[in-house]
Amino acid sequence: MTALSGEKTRIGQTWHINNDCSHADYPATHIVEQPKHGRLQIVHEPVFPNAAGKLAKCRTVKVGGVVGYYTSEPGYIGSDRIVLSSPYGDGKIEETVMNVNVRRLLRSG
């Protein structure tokens, strides 16, 4: 994933919905490893779930979700890494590694 240096960038989302597409709860998302060159903010906000299978019908319904936003230190250019854990499926916990490529904001003019 790519982020611009010093800019708030949405890096991912998760949700938990019922079969009728209604909000079930907010998945318990935990930061296992903080980014070394920035910060991660986890917020609850409405999302469109990109669900598959029998829940694919819910893709056009906004539900309460958990969203992660990454912001690098101002002026930082390079790579960063974030590790998160969250529930997945029937009681399983999934650990997700997110590698972020932080680029310079190109200004025109």
Side-chain angles (χ1 to χ4, degrees):
M1 127 163 357
T2 300
L4 295 176
S5 182
E7 298 287 318
K8 182 177 177 180
T9 303
R10 184 181 177 132
I11 61 165
Q13 68 179 29
T14 189
W15 61 90
H16 186 201
I17 55 177
N18 298 307
N19 288 334
D20 66 356
C21 301
S22 63
H23 173 82
D25 62 17
Y26 291 102
T29 303
H30 301 284
I31 301 170
V32 176
E33 182 181 315
Q34 288 277 359
K36 292 182 178 20
H37 304 286
R39 68 181 179 90
L40 178 65
Q41 179 184 21
I42 305 250
V43 298
H44 293 175
E45 67 183 35
V47 299
F48 287 108
N50 55 344
K54 67 181 181 180
L55 295 177
K57 65 184 180 189
C58 302
R59 290 178 178 217
T60 59
V61 178
K62 272 202 170 182
V63 297
V66 177
V67 179
Y69 290 97
Y70 169 82
T71 306
S72 76
E73 297 165 347
Y76 177 76
I77 304 296
S79 61
D80 213 344
R81 173 183 142 114
I82 303 159
V83 181
L84 302 170
S85 70
S86 60
Y88 183 80
D90 296 325
K92 299 174 187 165
I93 302 293
E94 183 176 86
E95 200 165 272
T96 302
V97 176
M98 303 181 103
N99 293 302
V100 183
N101 178 24
V102 183
R103 297 178 30 193
R104 177 175 294 121
L105 177 62
L106 299 177
R107 303 213 188 266
S108 60

